[in-house]
Amino acid sequence: MAFSLCNSITDRQSRELVRHGTPPFPLACYRHDSESVNAVPWHWHDELETVLVKKGRVTVFVEGESRELGPGEGCFVTAGALHHVRREREEPVDLHSMVFHPRLVGGSMESVFWQDYLQPLLSAANRCVWLSEGVPWEREALEAMETAWRACGEEQPGFEFQAREGLSRLVFLLSAHCPAAKKPPSEKALREGERIKAMLRYIEEHYSGELTVAQIARSAAVSESECLRCFRNMIGAAPIQYVKQLRIRRAAELLESTEEAVAAIGAACGFQEMSYFSRTFRALKGCTPSRYREERRAAEAVCRAVENGGPAEK
């Protein structure tokens, strides 16, 4: 199975709509580079996810927790957890992630694999398990992730068994070292999760117009101070900063996929002044909107030439 860059699509509740893998083999492998790693929005899904950093440094955010990860480090994100990855430094990034449905390793809910190993992990107190090479069992877990990834990349006959074996080993190690929650999440934690999803949904619906903290707060029936606290704890950024990042991400998508004028795209994404749009875009993407479009079109032309068997023009 080929590795691909993740093209995440979410609904108004930030739930990812991409189908990962196929019904017979619900596993997908994604390779993120320096550009694509920041293009994936905050999202959640019903599948489990592994993250392994091969090059560079990124910060992973998972429902109020965050950690900067470097080469050889990774994490495991459980189902339903709101999460995001952000590149922090101007250096090349190579990040591997695998998204897989629990049934791939758990089978049916009546099986011993699900009841004794997977279910305790799904009900664990932590929404994310951080992994480093300095702890023996964590190093073994990282190696299990690498085994599954390599099997999918080599795609030898029976690679599905090898991939599932690696992920099964990972689940066993996690279930053995991550205690199950003795009680369900607190009402406060559940309430905060619902509030942030409501505010993200409101932003998704209104980012093209004027947005204030007061409006965002009202969408979840909370005060402005509670809105700021919720974003700080769950997202790691202020509401307006999140809005700015979303607008630039949407603008980049339109620059790539349409022939609309740059100024019209900026206005459609909530930027009324072209100069402010250009400055903000450059700050987050490293180049002007026009230059971004040119570079993307050039890269697409090279990819098409290679796919058609022709020379890759520079």
Side-chain angles (χ1 to χ4, degrees), residues 146-164:
E146 185 66 28
T147 296
W149 174 273
R150 188 165 51 250
C152 291
E154 296 174 353
E155 204 167 0
Q156 297 295 316
F159 80 92
E160 298 93 344
F161 287 107
Q162 293 176 303
R164 188 174 64 173

Side-chain angles (χ1 to χ4, degrees), residues 281-292:
F281 195 97
R282 181 192 289 272
L284 294 180
K285 291 293 186 179
C287 62
T288 65
S290 298
R291 183 62 178 169
Y292 180 87

Side-chain angles (χ1 to χ4, degrees), residues 179-199:
K182 296 181 179 179
K183 58 181 180 181
S186 66
E187 290 187 9
K188 179 181 179 182
L190 292 173
R191 184 169 61 249
E192 191 167 78
E194 290 304 313
R195 285 174 174 173
I196 194 67
K197 288 178 181 178
M199 289 187 281

Side-chain angles (χ1 to χ4, degrees), residues 169-180:
R169 181 63 181 169
L170 171 67
V171 166
F172 168 72
L173 290 166
L174 291 168
S175 65
H177 293 88
C178 302

